[in-house]
Every structure is written in structure tokens, then in C-alpha cells.
Amino acid sequence: MASDDDEMKVMIGLEVHVQLTKLHTKMFCSCSSDYRGKEPNTVTCAVCLGLPGTLPVLNKRAIEFATLLGIALNSKIQESMFFFRKNYYYPDMTKNFQITQYDKAGGVPICVGGELTFTTGKNERRVVHFRRLHLEEDPGKLQYEGSITTSPYVYVDYNRNGSTLVECVTEPELRSPEEARAFLKKLRSIIEHVGIADLSLEGSMRCDANISYKGHARVEVKNISSMKEVERALNFEMMRQKQKIKSGVEIVQETRHWDEVRRVTISLRTKETEKDYRYFPEPDLVPVTIDAKELKRIKALLPELPDARVLRFVKQYQIPAYDAEVLVDSKSMADFYEAAIKMFNDAKDVSNWLMGDVARRLNEDNLDISETKISPKALVQMLQMIKDGTITGKIGKTLVKDMLDGTMPADLVKKQNVKRIDDEAILQKIIDEVFAENENVVKEVKEGKNPRTFEFLVGQVMKKTKGQADPEVTRALIKKRL
Ligand SMILES: [Zn+2]
């Protein structure tokens, strides 16, 4: 008999939709691909709306970008391919079909296979394989008021319609929601290093996930809008399936929707198969060829990728591999780091601050450093002030939040009048005050009953100076005074 562990083995596969936001125009027309923040339904044309008499023209750079990503992920780039129509009705798509690629009926996606190596939270190296990477157009966007189930109406905005997506389909090799998050983090870093998308943009990286327990039916969860939501959605869906299986109810093969507002998955449709989409070759587009010469040209465009960058950081800046990996996990963080150490000659100090106080703040607000206003110059200015003794490290920590909002640390120090106080005359005066106000405590310290009372006195000096007193000088002065 199988053990309980075998029986509850979960298999997770992801379909990651990456919008190639660095393309200037949409996939088949000359509309700007920069539609975010624009008035709804203003970034459209007859082609991306699919009006009668119009024909799509393929954006050549879309092929180049997808090829670059395929090379970065060790996929096999196809020499020749064509597009398919996936037919279905949904209000976010005016044509009633989506132009995509298909791996059956003689079709091949632009990239076949591939793999990604990443490190889990438990510091385990894992490899996840890709089934394929294919190109397709993005549909428009439906907007609900609050939850999809309770919204009294739905708006449709076609601005996104026709933007370029690369869909990265993995094998069901992920074993937990945490692994899925670590995998996506690495994928994001690779994509940003390749330079084909800015994934801090809203909706630029979206996921569908298929989840099944060994021996049970597979459920697909659609519309997970960001990397942050993936872990949540997977955790919920695993719990739902586990409860069913344990109480003897069979899992139904179905497609479910992730409701971000209520944080539950809800059933959308069952018994849907590929057949229902009536895939057929797109007759309005010619086949695409990427010959050896073209492939060589594109390969030469590939910039430094995360794994190579980690190795270079270790060698060039003499920092531990762990630090290098954490920094390179986000391209903007790694860029920030390199800009900072050009101005400040202590590579380890800079990485300590970035991985410590800065990263902590970013994690709290779920932000990437590129989404804040801190500059490498600001960080370096603060480190310089600590180094030359203008402020204490403790004060530095209190400045990080405002620095992330764009204020320079020197201005903060001036405004808040926070400076390291090591002037013995000033500190002596404050210590006199503390001693006068805490006669009983001073007596206790002198009697040596409770060593913690000494730290209480240090704390009182800190409190009176708002953390600016140099702790070493303060301790020495109190000892002397006792
Ligand atoms: Zn258009």
C-alpha cells in the first residue's frame, strides 16, 4: 500500500504569461504597447480590434525577443513555424479568436523544451523543465467592481488587446507553492536581464497553474494576476483538494478562477478540452523562418544572464555567493548594487545594507527596489556619514524608510537634527540628569544586584538623545561616573 506521503504528492505546473513590455508596438499592428494608465479603449486600431478588411502584420522584434528568452532558457529554437487561431468567444476578444501557436496538427511553438535552475528557500538546487515557450497575443481586459462573483457590472478595455505575450509552459515538476515562488523569482530575473520586459509593471507577468495530487484529476487555476498571488492561490487550491480527497470526494477535472479579493478559487468550467477551441493554422500570416544566420545574429545580442552575474560578483567584489545570489535575484537590485559600489569602496558593507535594512523594508511593502525612489547616491551618502562618524549606524537604520521615499539622508539628518553625539561634555550633562532622575536605579547598580539595571541607564541616555548618543562613549562615561 502506498504511504500517506506518496498519496498526497502534489504536482504543480505553471503557464507563465510574460508580456514583452519592451516592445514599442503591439504584436500585429502599430499601436503603442505602452497602454498602461491610458484612457480605456484609446490605444486601439482597426487591426487589433479585428475589424473587417484588416490584416495582421507580424512584429519582427517579437520573434527576436522570444528567441532571446528561448536561448536564455536553453530551449530549442525552431527554424520554421506558423501561427494558429484558437477559436472561442469571450468579451475581452473582439475577433472571437486569439492568434497563438500550437504544438499539434503540424504546428510547433517558437521554443521547445528548456530548463531553469533555481535555489529554494531551503537552499536546495532545483531544475524545472519547460515543455515549450510560445508567442501569442494578449486579449483585452475585463474590469469588475470588487469580486468577479458579486460585481454588478463588467467593463471591457481593449487597450491591452494585441500586446505580445510569451507563454512559458513548465512540466508539472514543482513540488510546493514556495518552490513556485522561487522559480518565478528566478524566471523574472532572467527575463529582466535579457531585457525584453519590465516585470514590475502591473499585469506584465501572469500565471495559470495546474495542480494535482498523484492519482487524482488535474485542476487548472486561471488568472493569477501577479507573482505575489501565485503562492496564495496555490496554497488555497491545495488545501481545497486535500480536504476533498481526505473525505473521499473525487476531484473533478475543471478550470477554476482565482478570486484575489475573496482569496478563493471558484469553478469556471468543466469538461473543456483542446478540441473545443478548433485550432487551425492562421491563414492571414505567412510562416516564420529563423535560419542559422539569423539565430547567430540574435544569440550575439544576449546580455549577461543572472548565473553568470552571480559568479562575476563573487569574483570581482569578493562577496559570498549567497549575497551575490540574493542581489541578482532582482535585476534592479543588482544594478543598484553595482552603481553604489562604484561610489563607495566597501562592497560587503553595501550588500549588508541592501540585503538587511533595505530588503526588509521592501519585503514589508512587497516592493522591488525599482518601484521606490531611493538612489545609489543616497545610500552611499548615508554610508559615508556613518563612516566619518556624523551619524551612528542606529540612526542610519531610522533613515531608510524616508530614503526609499526619495529623501537624501543628509537632508534628513539636517531636518531632524540627528547626529551622532560623542562629545563627552554634552553626554556627561545628560548622564548627570539621568542619575538625578533615577537615584534608586543608580543605587541598585552600585550594589551590583541586577546587571540589567546598567543597561537601563544607557537606555535612558539614548532616549534623551533620540538614539544619537554614541553607545560606546556613553557606556564608558556611566561606568566612570559609578
Ligand atoms: Zn492596434
Side-chain angles (χ1 to χ4, degrees):
M1 223 178 104
S3 74
D4 190 48
D5 259 9
D6 276 346
E7 210 148 302
M8 297 312 280
K9 190 180 162 198
V10 73
M11 291 179 288
I12 300 169
L14 296 176
E15 292 171 13
V16 190
H17 296 79
V18 178
Q19 206 183 62
L20 303 180
T21 66
K22 294 273 171 90
L23 288 173
H24 299 303
T25 55
K26 290 185 179 180
M27 196 168 172
F28 299 113
C29 65
S30 56
C31 283
S32 169
S33 60
D34 179 21
Y35 61 83
R36 289 178 174 82
K38 303 272 160 65
E39 197 64 18
N41 299 308
T42 56
V43 191
T44 58
C45 71
V47 177
C48 57
L49 288 177
L51 300 187
T54 58
L55 287 172
V57 179
L58 179 62
N59 182 339
K60 263 194 172 169
R61 285 198 87 199
I63 297 289
E64 185 181 297
F65 278 20
T67 305
L68 280 170
L69 183 58
I71 297 169
L73 295 173
N74 279 323
S75 293
K76 190 176 178 321
I77 313 297
Q78 301 306 302
E79 245 190 86
S80 154
M81 77 207 84
F82 48 94
F83 287 92
F84 275 76
R85 282 187 184 184
K86 181 181 182 182
N87 296 279
Y88 65 99
Y89 169 76
Y90 206 63
D92 61 6
M93 216 171 44
T94 50
K95 301 195 299 267
N96 282 356
F97 65 82
Q98 178 189 29
I99 303 179
T100 181
Q101 296 190 303
Y102 194 47
D103 57 0
K104 298 187 185 84
V108 278
I110 182 160
C111 315
V112 176
E115 61 183 29
L116 184 151
T117 309
F118 64 102
T119 311
T120 67
K122 291 172 195 147
N123 216 9
E124 219 184 317
R125 292 294 262 187
R126 293 267 290 122
V127 181
V128 163
H129 296 89
F130 290 95
R131 199 166 281 173
R132 64 172 186 272
L133 273 60
H134 68 254
L135 275 161
E136 65 183 27
E137 56 177 340
D138 211 350
K141 200 175 171 191
L142 298 182
Q143 255 163 20
Y144 305 93
E145 188 193 75
S147 164
I148 188 175
T149 48
T150 54
S151 179
Y153 51 74
V154 53
Y155 288 125
V156 58
D157 175 7
Y158 292 111
N159 283 352
R160 190 175 77 184
N161 203 3
S163 297
T164 313
L165 294 178
V166 171
E167 184 174 329
C168 311
V169 183
T170 77
E171 296 291 348
E173 294 173 342
L174 291 157
R175 299 183 201 133
S176 69
E178 299 74 40
E179 269 196 21
R181 190 185 53 181
F183 164 85
L184 285 170
K185 211 169 177 191
K186 181 71 179 277
L187 180 61
R188 176 184 167 147
S189 181
I190 292 174
I191 292 165
E192 295 203 324
H193 276 88
V194 173
I196 53 180
D198 174 0
L199 299 179
S200 62
L201 294 173
E202 172 271 325
S204 54
M205 194 183 198
R206 313 192 298 270
C207 262
D208 296 342
N210 52 71
I211 308 150
S212 62
Y213 280 96
K214 204 176 169 186
H216 299 273
R218 204 178 71 135
V219 172
E220 190 169 1
V221 181
K222 289 253 183 209
N223 306 310
I224 310 173
S225 72
S226 69
M227 235 167 70
K228 296 162 198 165
E229 293 290 325
V230 171
E231 209 177 352
R232 252 182 221 152
L234 289 174
N235 273 320
F236 174 86
E237 184 56 24
M238 278 170 61
M239 192 185 66
R240 189 190 69 85
Q241 291 186 23
K242 216 175 197 170
Q243 275 174 356
K244 287 220 156 165
I245 294 168
K246 284 199 165 157
S247 54
V249 183
E250 203 34 65
I251 302 292
V252 188
Q253 183 184 333
E254 62 179 341
T255 302
R256 298 177 72 85
H257 170 92
W258 172 240
D259 188 332
E260 252 176 50
V261 182
R262 295 192 303 147
R263 293 193 182 162
V264 294
T265 61
I266 45 179
S267 182
L268 277 185
R269 46 188 182 260
T270 55
K271 289 183 189 142
E272 162 202 79
T273 63
E274 276 191 351
K275 221 166 55 186
D276 301 326
Y277 288 111
R278 296 181 298 112
Y279 280 93
F280 62 79
E282 167 60 61
D284 289 343
L285 288 164
V286 293
V288 179
T289 319
I290 306 171
D291 60 20
K293 201 178 141 206
E294 175 67 353
L295 189 60
K296 203 178 155 197
R297 181 190 72 82
I298 297 175
K299 241 181 201 163
L301 300 173
L302 201 69
E304 182 185 44
L305 294 175
D307 289 348
R309 200 174 191 187
V310 167
L311 294 177
R312 180 169 63 78
F313 274 22
V314 171
K315 213 175 144 197
Q316 192 174 343
Y317 308 129
Q318 309 280 319
I319 56 171
Y322 175 80
D323 294 30
E325 250 185 72
V326 172
L327 292 169
V328 176
D329 243 353
S330 150
K331 179 179 183 285
S332 40
M333 183 64 103
D335 291 347
F336 190 105
Y337 176 69
E338 290 208 271
I341 56 176
K342 273 199 184 112
M343 299 181 266
F344 190 80
N345 195 18
D346 188 339
K348 181 65 183 152
D349 199 21
V350 176
S351 72
N352 283 348
W353 275 88
L354 285 178
M355 291 165 62
D357 286 84
V358 174
R360 199 168 310 124
R361 284 269 170 205
L362 294 174
N363 287 340
E364 271 170 24
D365 298 333
N366 236 331
L367 287 174
D368 188 71
I369 198 161
S370 62
E371 296 167 277
T372 72
K373 289 184 179 141
I374 191 172
S375 65
K377 217 174 145 187
L379 183 72
V380 168
Q381 192 179 73
M382 185 195 76
L383 296 176
Q384 202 62 55
M385 283 193 287
I386 296 173
K387 204 177 165 191
D388 65 24
T390 313
I391 57 170
T392 58
K394 203 167 177 181
I395 293 171
K397 283 173 192 282
T398 66
L399 304 179
V400 171
K401 187 178 180 293
D402 287 317
M403 285 162 64
L404 287 169
D405 291 336
T407 319
M408 290 301 281
D411 295 338
L412 287 166
V413 169
K414 214 165 143 192
K415 204 173 119 201
Q416 299 170 5
N417 198 20
V418 285
K419 275 203 169 130
R420 187 178 66 106
I421 304 172
D422 60 355
D423 185 317
E424 296 199 2
I426 296 172
L427 288 175
Q428 195 61 62
K429 227 179 117 194
I430 295 163
I431 291 168
D432 287 345
E433 277 173 41
V434 169
F435 272 54
E437 286 162 17
N438 299 282
E439 279 175 14
N440 290 340
V441 182
V442 173
K443 208 177 131 209
E444 262 182 59
V445 179
K446 280 182 176 161
E447 285 163 1
K449 274 186 200 151
N450 184 357
R452 267 164 53 192
T453 46
F454 178 80
E455 282 307 314
F456 173 81
L457 293 176
V458 178
Q460 290 302 304
V461 177
M462 283 296 168
K463 206 170 155 192
K464 277 185 184 284
T465 60
K466 297 194 179 81
Q468 299 171 84
D470 185 299
E472 291 313 309
V473 181
T474 306
R475 279 201 184 86
L477 286 173
I478 293 178
K479 270 191 191 140
K480 219 166 109 189
R481 171 82 204 262
L482 284 167

